[in-house]
Amino acid sequence: MTEGKVSMIEAMVDVFGSAITGSEIQCGDQQVVHVEPSNNLEILTWLKDTEGYDYDLLLDVTAVDYGSIPGVEVVYQLWSITNKQLLRIKCALPEDSLKIRSVADLWGSANWLEREVYDLFGVQFEGHPDLRRILMPKNYSEGHPLRKDFPLRGRFSREKQTELALKQDYEDYYSPEQLEGFGQRSDD
Amino acid sequence: MSVKQTIELPQGNLDSGNMLVNIGPQHPATHGVLRLLCELDGETIVQIDPDIGYLHSSFEKLGEFRTWNQIVPLTDRMDYLAPLMYNCVYVMAVEKLMDLKVTERCKVVRVLCMEMERIFSHLLWLGTTAIDVGAFTPFLYAFQERERIYKLHEAFTGARITTSATRIGGMMADLPEGWTDQLRNFVETFPETLDEIDSLLTRNGIHLGRTQGIGTISGSDAVNAGFTGPNLRASGIDYDLRKDRPYYDYETYTFEVPIGKNGDCYDRYLVRMEEMRQSLKILDQALRRLPGGPINVDDPRVSLPSKTDCMNDMESMIHHFKIVTEGVRVPPGDCYFAIEGSKGELGMYVVSDGGEKPVRWRVRPPSFVNLSVLPQLAEGHQVSDLIMINASLDIVLGEIDR
């Protein structure tokens, strides 16, 4: 089990060199590989398409804000259906540039998962087809709730939150094209 | 101002362009607080944009402000259709991170819980899906059987839905007396009802017409879209965590994993029906092998000393005090642990810095990923098929929105 994993790490280092910044085993059997965020797309494409590894199922895209370390770490959980192997890829993003390339073209499942990370952590996924908030309201203006500097009750006071909720408009829910195109806004 | 008011008729082009229709959020056919913004060309769906987040409670953020054991009650509020399963997988992830081995009895009790919940969740899916295509009777049958599992929940945990039954290192209590007999009775008598529902739906012309060839997805597309669980297996991909990444000795139980062929709504129905029968087989084996002995692990990191010890020696008293006031401490590291949930791969990703609260607690939500495929599945179908496709994915909005 571990031997195959070691050779995979070696192969990754051979191909990508210094873009592989480290690897470790967590909880006895969980392989973790740290990679440079600027190379995430190439590395994930290689893992998905290389014969013998075939990480074809993207289980999860999420992020971790450690609080003690500035920035956000994007975490990919991969599974290979044929080889029955689990792999975790981590990309540490510095606080001043929270952006990484999207993998939505590689896996359809990344579409919503990346939207969620964008919504809750504020990570920009470059090349994502439809990057907008998913769980929080579309007009939510308090920031990104899962960041450690975000207070549990939100940034605004209760009065301000109520006021904003009552001020919601059609435009918060429908795009202008939808409103124009489908004749919903007959008064204009 | 005159009393007579003229009604202005709309002027201009009244041709039949595409229509924008909201389905939900308050509609029984969306199976929760889900809003589907549909662009329709007559009856045909051009485009769908699912709008979620109405039930968003930020459980993951709340978890960062709670001790490890206090998170358990949050987990059953996510998927209220299979609460014990969520209780179990959360503590299993933390135990893996702590490298804590639970007792044999606890393992089997958790297997009992998880397989019971699979039937519990599939029964709700079966009833509500049948009612979506007009079959009322299976709904009543399924809910009658669910009520029996509710009673088992209640006898074990004291609650019908918000069970919160697990603790790190064991369960909140051992099974009450006579509980296994009740469960055995359920395992023995439930197949009769299942056969009845089967005879009402599996070869029912209307049901076949509404489900066969509807919402089809190929195996490779399903993998790419992140489908897991019965939805993926209906498309012919053999991926079941109980076989492929076994936990809790699942490799020693005899059961089969049903695989579909066409990846349509009908295959998803067949796979879930067969899964219930296989779960019964596992339940039967687990009931036979249920060992005696303690249910909670004897590990000073998590288990409380007995009351007698606390009253008699100082160290136990201090130990008790520390665990209650500070909570369990989990070593630094991160762990991804997943089980075969009723809706797909249900994973928990926990990150600890060694403190009494998690740095991050992430749920890998099976329904969330499954729902994201809905636009792709439903485009080109009719509105009535959309209801069936949505139902066949088996989503629960509590877990999608978290």
Side-chain angles (χ1 to χ4, degrees):
Chain A
M1 170 194 86
T2 42
E3 228 162 67
K5 282 176 181 169
V6 168
S7 67
M8 186 192 76
I9 307 288
E10 279 168 3
M12 283 175 84
V13 173
D14 276 352
V15 180
F16 297 104
S18 60
I20 312 293
T21 51
S23 70
E24 60 191 325
I25 304 266
Q26 285 282 352
C27 301
D29 57 352
Q30 300 189 354
Q31 180 67 56
V32 186
V33 180
H34 297 263
V35 308
E36 282 288 339
S38 51
N39 293 74
N40 73 322
L41 192 57
E42 290 83 21
I43 293 171
L44 289 167
T45 313
W46 184 83
L47 284 168
K48 184 178 180 225
D49 296 337
T50 307
E51 192 108 358
Y53 302 124
D54 305 306
Y55 286 95
D56 43 3
L57 184 60
L58 176 73
L59 291 172
D60 198 9
V61 180
T62 186
V64 185
D65 181 358
Y66 286 95
S68 50
I69 312 162
V72 167
E73 193 176 63
V74 176
V75 183
Y76 300 90
Q77 313 276 5
L78 303 176
W79 172 257
S80 161
I81 293 180
T82 34
N83 299 327
K84 304 193 199 313
Q85 289 290 336
L86 194 65
L87 180 66
R88 182 147 72 241
I89 301 287
K90 291 182 171 185
C91 302
L93 304 180
E95 180 66 47
D96 54 353
S97 93
L98 289 181
K99 51 186 175 199
I100 191 165
R101 273 178 296 162
S102 166
V103 295
D105 286 340
L106 278 184
W107 287 286
S109 52
N111 189 326
W112 277 31
L113 291 166
E114 285 181 348
R115 272 177 72 186
E116 193 190 332
V117 174
Y118 161 72
D119 187 2
L120 303 178
F121 286 90
V123 176
Q124 296 287 339
F125 288 90
E126 292 165 344
H128 189 285
D130 182 27
L131 195 64
R132 55 197 164 100
R133 287 193 183 271
I134 186 163
L135 290 177
M136 305 306 286
K138 290 181 179 58
N139 59 344
Y140 188 71
S141 52
E142 293 183 55
H144 302 285
L146 276 182
R147 296 302 307 272
K148 286 284 181 202
D149 57 3
F150 189 95
L152 186 60
R153 282 178 180 277
R155 286 195 208 280
F156 298 164
S157 65
R158 274 293 137 93
E159 292 75 32
K160 176 90 175 158
Q161 285 171 347
T162 318
E163 192 194 316
L164 285 174
L166 291 174
K167 269 201 329 216
Q168 289 179 68
D169 202 1
Y170 273 139
E171 280 87 353
D172 300 331
Y173 293 94
Y174 304 94
S175 67
E177 301 86 64
Q178 284 172 333
L179 290 175
E180 293 293 337
F182 302 121
Q184 302 282 313
R185 210 161 41 171
S186 53
D187 51 343
D188 289 355
Chain B
M1 247 192 150
S2 84
V3 227
K4 213 172 94 186
Q5 284 202 332
T6 50
I7 300 164
E8 272 187 39
L9 286 170
Q11 299 293 315
N13 189 5
L14 281 180
D15 73 323
S16 50
N18 286 357
M19 209 175 11
L20 198 64
V21 172
N22 264 310
I23 300 177
Q26 309 291 346
H27 194 285
T30 57
H31 294 220
V33 206
L34 166 70
R35 173 167 161 259
L36 299 168
L37 186 57
C38 310
E39 189 186 333
L40 303 180
D41 178 11
E43 264 292 281
T44 314
I45 290 159
V46 181
Q47 208 183 330
I48 303 183
D49 182 17
D51 184 13
I52 59 173
Y54 288 90
L55 282 178
H56 181 55
S57 325
S58 211
F59 286 136
E60 289 173 6
K61 180 84 176 172
L62 284 172
E64 292 171 11
F65 290 81
R66 273 157 178 68
T67 61
W68 292 95
N69 261 326
Q70 284 173 340
I71 290 177
V72 172
L74 296 178
T75 57
D76 47 46
R77 280 149 178 87
M78 286 188 186
D79 186 351
Y80 34 82
L81 309 179
L84 283 170
M85 207 169 229
Y86 275 62
N87 291 162
C88 287
V89 65
Y90 167 68
V91 292
M92 282 152 87
V94 179
E95 283 156 6
K96 181 150 173 89
L97 186 53
M98 296 179 78
D99 195 20
L100 192 73
K101 301 270 177 293
V102 292
T103 61
E104 282 304 310
R105 183 173 172 82
C106 182
K107 268 189 191 174
V108 180
V109 167
R110 284 185 186 168
V111 168
L112 284 176
C113 288
M114 287 188 287
E115 292 307 319
M116 190 171 83
E117 296 303 279
R118 195 180 316 280
I119 296 175
F120 189 58
S121 169
H122 282 2
L123 273 177
L124 182 123
W125 165 83
L126 179 61
T128 52
T129 306
I131 215 169
D132 277 350
V133 290
F136 199 87
T137 317
F139 171 78
L140 298 175
Y141 286 5
F143 269 63
Q144 216 157 20
E145 293 298 325
R146 281 190 98 229
E147 188 59 34
R148 297 168 69 192
I149 301 186
Y150 270 134
K151 290 211 171 101
L152 288 167
H153 280 176
E154 205 172 359
F156 181 21
T157 70
R160 283 160 61 88
I161 301 175
T162 51
T163 50
S164 308
T166 56
R167 298 289 180 273
I168 295 163
M171 306 296 279
M172 56 134 210
D174 205 339
L175 298 173
E177 212 167 302
W179 194 83
T180 45
D181 298 334
Q182 281 180 47
L183 181 59
R184 175 159 291 290
N185 179 264
F186 174 81
V187 171
E188 277 161 8
T189 53
F190 173 60
E192 207 181 319
T193 320
L194 196 57
D195 287 343
E196 252 176 292
I197 300 175
D198 189 90
S199 66
L200 284 171
L201 287 176
T202 306
R203 278 170 297 281
N204 177 329
I206 299 171
H207 186 247
L208 292 178
R210 291 297 303 274
T211 52
Q212 281 187 337
I214 304 293
T216 313
I217 186 164
S218 71
S220 55
D221 283 354
V223 172
N224 188 279
F227 260 4
T228 43
N231 291 335
L232 179 65
R233 291 193 285 277
S235 294
I237 305 286
D238 183 3
Y239 172 47
D240 186 312
L241 274 97
R242 291 171 293 177
K243 294 276 190 197
D244 292 336
R245 216 186 313 158
Y247 47 92
Y248 279 15
D249 306 329
Y250 263 109
E251 64 272 25
T252 60
Y253 292 89
T254 315
F255 68 102
E256 277 158 31
V257 178
I259 308 288
K261 213 163 63 187
N262 306 315
D264 56 3
C265 293
Y266 186 63
D267 278 19
R268 293 197 268 274
Y269 159 82
L270 288 180
V271 165
R272 289 204 178 87
M273 286 298 271
E274 186 54 32
E275 265 190 17
M276 281 195 267
R277 293 183 207 278
Q278 298 298 330
S279 283
L280 285 173
K281 266 168 88 175
I282 301 174
L283 278 176
D284 180 54
Q285 294 168 55
L287 278 171
R288 276 177 215 279
R289 70 164 76 162
L290 182 67
I295 190 141
N296 288 334
V297 72
D298 184 23
D299 187 312
R301 291 178 296 169
V302 293
S303 50
L304 291 172
S306 75
K307 271 279 175 253
T308 332
D309 284 350
C310 286
M311 295 301 168
N312 287 317
D313 68 275
M314 186 71 181
E315 286 72 28
S316 302
M317 186 74 201
I318 294 170
H319 183 201
H320 191 286
F321 182 78
K322 292 278 265 188
I323 288 195
V324 170
T325 53
E326 290 178 0
V328 174
R329 277 176 191 275
V330 176
D334 58 347
C335 173
Y336 175 77
F337 184 84
I339 61 165
E340 184 62 39
S342 57
K343 295 169 184 69
E345 168 154 348
L346 169 60
M348 294 272 168
Y349 178 56
V350 284
V351 184
S352 169
D353 62 354
E356 61 263 29
K357 288 171 186 167
V359 171
R360 176 96 167 95
W361 161 52
R362 154 81 178 166
V363 183
R364 191 268 170 195
S367 302
F368 180 87
V369 183
N370 289 348
L371 179 67
S372 70
V373 193
L374 180 67
Q376 188 187 332
L377 287 181
E379 272 157 28
H381 282 296
Q382 302 206 319
V383 179
S384 52
D385 293 334
L386 165 69
I387 302 302
M388 184 61 217
I389 295 168
N390 182 38
S392 77
L393 294 179
D394 190 16
I395 53 168
V396 54
L397 269 293
E399 174 239 87
I400 290 174
D401 293 344
R402 281 160 287 140

